[in-house]
């Protein structure tokens, strides 16, 4: 039985990755930060009494800001694979908390790499990169060799983590791989991210609990994919014979404005009547567009996205409508269903 350790297991990606690895027969361990409130709702359906026979999911209190806890946990678990998904992952928040973002995203990755470098057992390491590293893009679509031009504290910290991962691979022979994942969404996406702000806001509007959604830059264009498919790519990256770097993306761009148009059309409403610009959500420096070329992942790993943008929006909106106590089948416009990606 393979053993995996996931930082950020309680987040969107961590929860889907835990599901995937458990389905593949892994024993899964996750790092969680101590808090006065529970934050495990995304994995509660997976976590059982550790004294129960056959349990294969274990949680450990640790933090990427605490080297000693990382060393203790890694050596106790002795994982075959480590997936570093833990981070302060909101770009906008990184402008408000740049030091915290740098400490968790950049230095946290370095602390983990140092821990793994001194292990007396073989381990494969996955670093979660971000399309935000490309920033003010020099070419489109972006590939593994496109130059990084980050435009936020978050993106700068991710470039550090990406580069340090490659350095530990070259300098110490560590099996360390980078996945450069473009935006990927799901019903488990955090509520402060624009896709969930839109779909959850629409559910509140339809339920009569709100009338407006407040957003920032409607012209920003992103490459949006479906998170459960992207964690499959993470796993495939660590099954490859050699550690390498891979872009994971759909190769299609859609604007925030198009996101609003698509989502509101699914409930038969005019988005312009409900969406307003709030200057508070405009960033000091904007990234206008990001679009990834995942041909290397397709060629070497056999990975391809299958969920279209329209179906992604439909999946998220249906979930938020249900959470609001509504029946998606009664509310959503059936003719707006997108076709599967070929």
């Amino acid at each position: 039985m393979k053993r995996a350790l996931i930082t950020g297991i309680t987040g969107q990606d961590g929860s889907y990755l835990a599901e995937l690895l458990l389905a593949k027969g892994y024993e899964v361990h996750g790092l969680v930060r101590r808090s006065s409130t529970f934050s495990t709702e995304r994995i509660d359906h997976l976590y059982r009494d550790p004294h129960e026979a056959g349990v294969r999911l274990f949680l450990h209190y640790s933090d990427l800001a605490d080297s000693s806890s990382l060393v203790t946990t890694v050596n106790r678990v002795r994982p075959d694979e480590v997936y570093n998904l833990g981070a302060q992952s909101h770009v906008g928040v990184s402008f408000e908390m740049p030091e915290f973002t740098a400490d968790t995203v950049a230095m946290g990755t370095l602390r983990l790499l140092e821990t793994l470098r001194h292990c007396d057992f073989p381990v494969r390491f996955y670093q979660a990169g971000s399309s935000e590293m490309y920033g003010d893009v020099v070419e489109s679509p972006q590939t593994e060799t496109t130059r990084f031009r980050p435009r936020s504290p978050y993106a700068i910290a991710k470039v550090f983590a990406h580069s340090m991962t490659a350095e530990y691979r070259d300098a110490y022979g560590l099996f360390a791989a980078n996945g450069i994942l473009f935006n990927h969404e799901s019903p488990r996406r955090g509520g402060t991210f624009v896709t969930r702000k839109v779909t959850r806001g629409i559910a509140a509007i339809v339920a009569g609990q709100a009338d407006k959604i407040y957003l920032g830059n409607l012209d920003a264009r992103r490459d949006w994919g479906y998170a459960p498919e992207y964690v499959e790519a993470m796993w495939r990256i660590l099954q490859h014979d050699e550690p390498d770097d891979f872009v994971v993306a759909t190769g299609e761009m859609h604007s925030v404005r198009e996101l609003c148009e698509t989502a509101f059309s699914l409930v038969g409403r005019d988005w312009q009547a409900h969406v307003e610009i709030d200057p508070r959500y405009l960033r000091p420096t904007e990234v206008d567009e990001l679009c990834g070329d995942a041909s290397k992942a397709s060629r070497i790993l056999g990975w391809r996205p299958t969920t279209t943008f329209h179906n992604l929006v439909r999946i998220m909106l249906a979930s938020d409508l249900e959470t609001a106590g509504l029946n998606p089948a009664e509310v959503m416009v059936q003719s707006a269903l997108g076709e599967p990606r070929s």
Side-chain angles (χ1 to χ4, degrees):
M1 183 185 299
K2 281 188 175 182
R3 189 175 296 141
L5 178 65
I6 304 172
T7 72
I9 194 171
T10 59
Q12 170 189 255
D13 291 4
S15 65
Y16 283 123
L17 180 61
E19 285 183 353
L20 175 73
L21 296 179
L22 288 170
K24 291 182 178 296
Y26 280 65
E27 179 179 294
V28 177
H29 296 255
L31 301 190
V32 293
R33 289 183 295 175
R34 180 67 178 90
S35 172
S36 60
T37 58
F38 291 108
S39 59
T40 59
E41 60 272 6
R42 291 187 179 96
I43 57 172
D44 282 343
H45 63 294
L46 301 174
Y47 191 62
R48 298 181 297 166
D49 183 345
H51 298 98
E52 190 176 335
V55 67
R56 289 185 289 115
L57 176 62
F58 304 89
L59 301 182
H60 307 266
Y61 286 123
S62 186
D63 198 303
L64 288 170
D66 180 14
S67 298
S68 62
S69 71
L70 293 176
V71 171
T72 299
T73 304
V74 167
N75 282 285
R76 178 188 299 143
V77 173
R78 297 180 69 85
D80 300 288
E81 300 170 3
V82 173
Y83 296 85
N84 186 30
L85 313 184
Q88 188 300 99
S89 60
H90 195 282
V91 175
V93 171
S94 76
F95 285 100
E96 303 295 327
M97 305 177 69
E99 183 178 347
F100 174 73
T101 300
D103 191 44
T104 55
V105 176
M107 294 306 297
T109 301
L110 178 56
R111 294 182 187 107
L112 191 49
L113 285 166
E114 266 294 285
T115 298
L116 299 181
R117 180 168 78 90
H118 294 288
C119 288
D120 62 357
F121 53 89
V123 60
R124 297 189 171 200
F125 175 74
Y126 171 85
Q127 167 59 21
S130 168
S131 59
E132 289 288 333
M133 298 188 296
Y134 294 114
D136 188 13
V137 297
V138 297
E139 64 178 0
S140 191
Q142 294 86 56
T143 71
E144 293 80 6
T145 60
T146 300
R147 183 160 61 94
F148 297 139
R149 298 183 66 187
R151 288 175 62 81
S152 69
Y154 168 76
I156 292 168
K158 278 293 187 183
V159 170
F160 177 98
H162 175 98
S163 301
M164 199 61 75
T165 298
E167 178 63 20
Y168 271 62
R169 178 173 66 214
D170 296 339
Y172 303 115
L174 191 67
F175 193 110
N178 287 297
I180 308 173
L181 273 60
F182 282 64
N183 292 63
H184 46 289
E185 319 295 314
S186 76
R188 298 181 192 174
R189 188 60 144 153
T192 60
F193 291 86
V194 66
T195 49
R196 279 300 306 285
K197 285 179 71 174
V198 170
T199 59
R200 192 164 66 170
I202 290 174
I205 290 169
V206 174
Q209 301 167 354
D211 185 57
K212 298 289 185 180
I213 300 174
Y214 298 93
L215 302 175
N217 182 12
L218 297 184
D219 295 320
R221 303 174 72 202
R222 293 294 185 268
D223 184 328
W224 276 303
Y226 188 36
E229 297 175 355
Y230 282 45
V231 301
E232 167 80 21
M234 297 178 189
W235 176 78
R236 291 190 181 213
I237 287 171
L238 287 198
Q239 310 318 303
H240 187 47
D241 293 338
E242 300 292 335
D244 204 347
D245 305 331
F246 294 91
V247 164
V248 179
T250 70
E252 298 178 5
M253 278 193 300
H254 300 272
S255 68
V256 176
R257 180 176 283 100
E258 187 178 352
L259 167 67
C260 294
E261 292 172 348
T262 300
F264 273 94
S265 73
L266 287 168
V267 294
R269 299 205 180 198
D270 178 8
W271 71 275
Q272 296 182 80
H274 299 284
V275 174
E276 290 191 7
I277 304 299
D278 188 332
R280 292 177 299 173
Y281 298 123
L282 298 175
R283 298 168 183 167
T285 50
E286 290 283 353
V287 174
D288 295 327
E289 60 180 51
L290 294 169
C291 184
D293 177 357
S295 57
K296 179 179 176 181
S298 175
R299 183 179 71 256
I300 296 176
L301 305 177
W303 180 87
R304 295 176 183 83
T306 60
T307 303
T308 65
F309 173 74
H310 284 79
N311 274 336
L312 169 62
V313 176
R314 172 175 284 274
I315 289 168
M316 295 179 66
L317 182 55
S319 175
D320 281 325
L321 288 169
E322 286 183 356
T323 300
L326 302 168
N327 184 347
E330 296 177 355
V331 175
M332 297 175 73
V333 178
Q334 299 302 312
S335 62
L337 178 64
E339 295 300 322
R341 190 185 306 278
S342 58

